[in-house]
Amino acid sequence: MNDSEKWDGLLKQALASAVEPEEELNQSIINRFKERARMKRSNRRGGAVGLLVVVFTLVLSITAFAATQLFNSKEIAEHLGDRSLAEAFEGSQAIEINQTISSGDFNITLHGIVSGTGLSEFSSSAQDVYPDRTYAVVSIARQDGSPMPNTSDPEYGKERFLVSPLVKGQKPWQVNIMTMNGSYSEIVRDGIMYRLIECDGVEIFADRGVYIAVSSDNFFNNQSFAYNEDTGEISLKADAGGISVVFDLPLDKSKADPAKAEAYLKELLKEPSADTTNEEASIDNEQAGWAINFEQLKKRIPDGTVILESVKEVTYDGNGFINYEYKDESVKISPDLLFAEGQTGLSDKVSISGSEGHYTALQFSRDEHGVITGRVVDLN
């Protein structure tokens, strides 16, 4: 069993009960899920997944300006470096929605959604099991026009947002973005937060009805959303506080696959074995340890040894993204996410990887001529 399967099984175990889960369990799951927000980076070195996803959430930072207009789904995919997905959002299979709902102090817009196989340049282990994937872009903006905090801002993350698909007829605390092998990427552009979510394909449920729900609190406890046991409908609670939004997706019912949907739900909701549960708990503890140790590892960088053959000038692709490769390290990222305007010297964004006591740090620097260089530092 690989790390992804163990992680997914743990979420299934935690959310499979028909009884509403306790608040502490819910919050623990959401906190761990937020750490899975993924940077567009390929690293084939085993044993570092738990740390890397935590580190890379630090890299998504773009300077905020006064908002003039919203970016569309294609443009957000381009900003995140996924040209293949950007093309998919412009293709015939994509559904352009651009529906805005005001809730709390925010305007929430569902820009678009697209489903299919092989749409993204960035693969994940979940695609090996469920190759049909769904991608959707949601933006969150303040109604008073004030900017959302950048991901590098100390205020970032204090206001929590959970964006998830929900399926009509299925309990929202059982079938959601976490149990559906989901993840997200997030940027702040011109003071507006954009989130690109990804999960197992939802078109198989088109005949049932599928929602995109946005919440600022823990909807697994039904604080924001009501689930009707008789009809299977999911709706807003009249007294819900904060953000509570439900978008009804206009899916093509001809794309539904009832047999595949039943098989998928049967697999998703099945109880894990005792042996599997023990293995999953071990992996979860290991990932928690990675997160805790990151700051300690980061302190080693000044005393680490720069690997001389890793020092090399980056190259650029057609979209202006930098490319850096050294052995198992392979990075594609916008330089704006690493350096502030006019900044020179070392970027304060760093990623650390490794296993079994051997760790390395990847850093980038920019000189006064704008030349960006990458290097790997041995931390042992």
Side-chain angles (χ1 to χ4, degrees), residues 140-325:
I140 300 174
R142 298 189 190 277
Q143 292 183 11
D144 63 6
S146 59
M148 300 290 287
N150 291 320
T151 54
S152 60
D153 193 298
E155 296 299 311
Y156 176 77
K158 290 185 178 180
E159 292 177 300
R160 296 177 176 176
F161 303 101
L162 188 57
V163 181
S164 175
L166 303 176
V167 178
K168 184 176 180 180
Q170 299 299 315
K171 296 178 176 65
W173 55 88
Q174 290 183 329
V175 181
N176 52 68
I177 191 169
M178 299 183 222
T179 59
M180 296 176 71
N181 300 296
S183 61
Y184 69 83
S185 300
E186 189 170 272
I187 62 174
V188 177
R189 185 72 173 180
D190 294 348
I192 298 174
M193 179 182 293
Y194 293 87
R195 183 173 294 189
L196 170 65
I197 68 167
E198 172 190 351
C199 64
D200 295 335
V202 302
E203 287 187 328
I204 58 175
F205 302 110
D207 57 337
R208 304 180 182 218
V210 181
Y211 311 92
I212 292 290
V214 184
S215 173
S216 57
D217 61 14
N218 192 343
F219 73 79
F220 296 118
N221 275 343
N222 289 339
Q223 298 299 310
S224 299
F225 304 99
Y227 175 69
N228 189 311
E229 294 278 357
D230 296 325
T231 66
E233 292 183 348
I234 299 169
S235 58
L236 299 177
K237 280 191 173 181
D239 58 349
I243 287 182
S244 301
V245 172
V246 172
F247 296 95
D248 198 344
L249 296 180
L251 299 179
D252 183 351
K253 293 184 179 181
S254 67
K255 295 184 177 181
D257 190 332
K260 190 174 181 179
E262 283 299 326
Y264 176 85
L265 290 172
K266 183 179 180 180
E267 178 68 19
L268 184 149
L269 298 174
K270 74 178 182 181
E271 294 288 344
S273 66
D275 290 342
T276 299
T277 301
N278 292 334
E279 291 177 356
E280 289 159 353
S282 176
I283 288 296
D284 190 54
N285 290 335
E286 181 181 352
Q287 289 176 328
W290 270 104
I292 294 171
N293 290 334
F294 169 64
E295 289 300 330
Q296 296 175 350
L297 290 169
K298 190 176 179 181
K299 292 177 181 178
R300 296 188 192 177
I301 295 176
D303 298 322
T305 302
V306 176
I307 301 174
L308 296 181
E309 59 266 31
S310 74
V311 180
K312 58 179 68 176
E313 185 178 336
V314 303
T315 59
Y316 291 81
D317 66 12
N319 291 325
F321 285 75
I322 66 172
N323 294 304
Y324 174 85
E325 292 187 4

